[in-house]
Amino acid sequence: MKVVVTGIGLVSVLGSLMPTWNRLLAGECGLQLHQPFPELEPKPLGLMSNHPARIETLTIQAVQAAIADAQLTLPLSDCAVVIGSSRGNQSQWETLTQSPVPSPPALRPCWLDTLPHTAAVTAARLIQTMASVRSPMAACATGLWAIAQGYDLIAAGESDRVLAGAVEAPITPLTIAGFDRMGALAQTGAYPFDRDREGLVLGEGGAVFVLESERVARQRGAKIYGQISGFGLTADGHHVSAPESSRRAAIAAVTQCLKHSRRQPDDVHFIHAHGTATRLNDQHEAQLIQKLFSPNVPVSSTKGATGHAIGASGALGVAFCLLALQQQQLPPTVGLEHLEFDLNVVRQTQSAVIQNALCLSFGFGGQNAAIALTR
C-alpha cells in the first residue's frame, strides 16, 4: 500500500512552512545570540521570540497548519496520532524543581500535563481522535521514527490517515548546560561540514504531516507532496552519545531503507543530512555517505539556518525533502564556508531534476534512521 503526504505543518525560527522554505532558499540564518536564562552565558540559539516556546503551543501551531494544508476539517476521530519529542515537557519540570516553596495546589500545573507524551496528547485532544495515539522517543532520530510508525499504521491497514511528526522546545537551562559541558555547543553559529565547525546550535521547532493511503488521498482529490517509499531504523548498542566507529548499524539503516523502497544508491538524487555541525557527527555522516553513494549526489544540512531541533530535526528535514521534490530546488547548507569533506554539499540554492530524496537522522544512544521520499 502506498503512503503519501497530503499536508505539512511546520514551525521554525524562520517561520511557518513556506516562509521557512523561502528564507532557507535565500540563504537566511535564523540563529542569533541570546541569553534567555540569566544564570547562563549568552549563546547562539534558534529562538522564535524573546522567551523559550512551550511545546504545547508549537504542537498546536504545527497540527493546525497540517490539517489546514491538507484541507481537512475537525473533528478527525478516526485519524491516528504519532507525534514524538526528545525533550518533551522538560522545561516545565525544570521550572517546577526550581520552586523553593511549593505553591498552593490551586496554582500548581497539573503534573499529567507535563509528561513526556505532551505533544501527542495535545494533538489527540485537538483533533478529538479515538484512534491510536503514540509518542515515540529516539533522541535526535525521533522525527523519522514517528513518521515510520505512521507509515506502518497505514500499511498494516490499522488507519487510513495519521498525523505524524515531532515537535521540540529544547531551549532549557539543563539542555544548554548539558550540551555545553559536553563540548558540543557552538559559540558563534552552526557551520555543518565546515572545517572550522564549532558544534550544534539549539533551535525550536517541529513538523507534523498528514499521512494517508494513496487510495484515500485520490478519492478526496487531495494534493500530494510525495510518497514515503521506505525507511530504515537501527541502533548501534555502543555508547550513550558517540556513534560506533565502523558505522555498521548506520550503514544497515540506510541499506534497509533502500531495500524497503526498492531503490539503489544511484537512484537517490538528494540527501538531507543530519549535519549537526559537531566534530564527530559530521565526520561520521560524511564517511557514511562517501561509502554508500556517488560523490556527485547533492547533500544539504539546513541546521545552519534553523538550528538543531533535536527530536524534531528529522521531521523538519522530511518537510524540506518534500518541498525540494515538489519544486525541484535544492536548499543550501547555510553557514558552510570551508568544506572539510569530499562531498557534493549544496552551497547555494540550485535547480535540479530529482525524483527520490533521502533524509538521515542520528541520535544519542546510537539511533540511526533513514527515510526515502519519492516525487
Side-chain angles (χ1 to χ4, degrees):
M1 180 183 295
K2 291 185 179 180
V3 178
V4 298
V5 178
T6 59
I8 305 175
L10 183 144
V11 288
S12 82
V13 69
L14 295 177
S16 57
L17 178 64
M18 292 316 298
T20 292
W21 177 247
N22 291 330
R23 293 179 68 184
L24 182 60
L25 294 184
E28 294 186 31
C29 174
L31 311 180
Q32 296 182 17
L33 200 65
H34 291 281
Q35 190 178 16
F37 311 108
E39 66 271 25
L40 299 176
E41 296 181 357
K43 296 287 183 184
L45 298 168
L47 271 173
M48 296 184 188
S49 67
N50 293 329
H51 304 284
R54 293 177 62 92
I55 192 169
E56 298 95 332
T57 303
L58 298 181
T59 301
I60 291 170
Q61 290 174 348
V63 169
Q64 287 179 334
I67 292 170
D69 190 38
Q71 297 186 325
L72 296 171
T73 56
L74 299 178
L76 295 170
S77 60
D78 60 348
C79 179
V81 172
V82 188
I83 297 180
S85 177
S86 174
R87 296 283 153 178
N89 222 328
Q90 180 181 316
S91 62
Q92 278 287 82
W93 281 94
E94 290 186 45
T95 300
L96 290 172
T97 60
Q98 292 169 359
S99 178
V101 180
S103 58
L107 300 179
R108 295 177 198 166
C110 177
W111 67 275
L112 288 171
D113 289 331
T114 68
L115 294 182
H117 67 337
T118 292
V121 171
T122 298
R125 289 173 176 170
L126 180 62
I127 69 171
Q128 303 169 55
T129 187
M130 292 186 288
S132 175
V133 177
R134 302 182 182 184
S135 179
M137 189 281 181
C140 296
T142 298
L144 297 195
W145 263 91
I147 296 167
Q149 287 191 14
Y151 175 104
D152 275 344
L153 284 173
I154 295 175
E158 294 185 38
S159 297
D160 285 329
R161 182 178 295 127
V162 181
L163 271 179
V167 183
E168 205 78 85
I171 299 176
T172 77
L174 181 59
T175 306
I176 293 174
F179 278 118
D180 203 24
R181 288 291 297 272
M182 288 179 63
L185 212 58
Q187 303 303 310
T188 65
Y191 316 122
F193 300 114
D194 197 286
R195 179 187 66 199
D196 302 317
R197 63 193 183 279
E198 303 173 351
L200 64 87
V201 173
L202 293 169
E204 299 171 333
V208 173
F209 305 87
V210 176
L211 309 183
E212 297 184 84
S213 67
E214 185 184 34
R215 174 184 57 81
V216 168
R218 298 289 185 195
Q219 282 177 350
R220 71 181 189 89
K223 76 170 182 289
I224 294 176
Y225 282 98
Q227 176 190 346
I228 299 173
S229 48
F231 57 85
L233 307 167
T234 65
D236 291 353
H238 167 69
H239 190 269
V240 68
S241 59
E244 198 270 318
S245 59
S246 75
R247 299 174 295 281
R248 184 174 59 182
I251 290 170
V254 176
T255 303
Q256 181 187 109
C257 177
L258 293 173
K259 182 179 180 180
H260 189 192
S261 59
R262 299 180 181 179
R263 301 286 187 270
Q264 299 297 318
D266 287 346
D267 295 327
V268 175
H269 305 133
F270 171 61
I271 297 174
H272 186 283
H274 193 52
T276 60
T278 57
R279 303 302 303 181
L280 202 55
N281 176 84
D282 283 12
Q283 180 181 16
H284 169 83
E285 188 170 20
Q287 291 173 348
L288 171 72
I289 294 171
Q290 288 170 336
K291 181 176 180 64
L292 294 178
F293 296 96
S294 161
N296 297 320
V297 62
V299 177
S300 289
S301 167
T302 52
K303 290 181 175 65
T306 66
H308 189 358
I310 312 297
S313 61
L316 292 172
V318 167
F320 298 145
C321 284
L322 289 166
L323 290 174
L325 289 167
Q326 181 192 62
Q327 299 190 6
Q328 299 289 280
Q329 294 279 310
L330 302 182
T333 303
V334 175
L336 173 63
E337 292 188 6
H338 307 290
L339 180 62
E340 180 176 358
F341 307 100
D342 185 19
L343 296 174
N344 182 21
V345 178
V346 181
R347 295 171 179 263
Q348 294 182 328
T349 298
Q350 61 188 59
S351 299
V353 178
I354 53 174
Q355 182 69 19
N356 302 299
L358 189 70
C359 186
L360 303 178
S361 284
F362 304 98
F364 280 1
Q367 296 287 349
N368 309 296
I371 280 186
L373 303 131
T374 298
R375 190 181 184 196

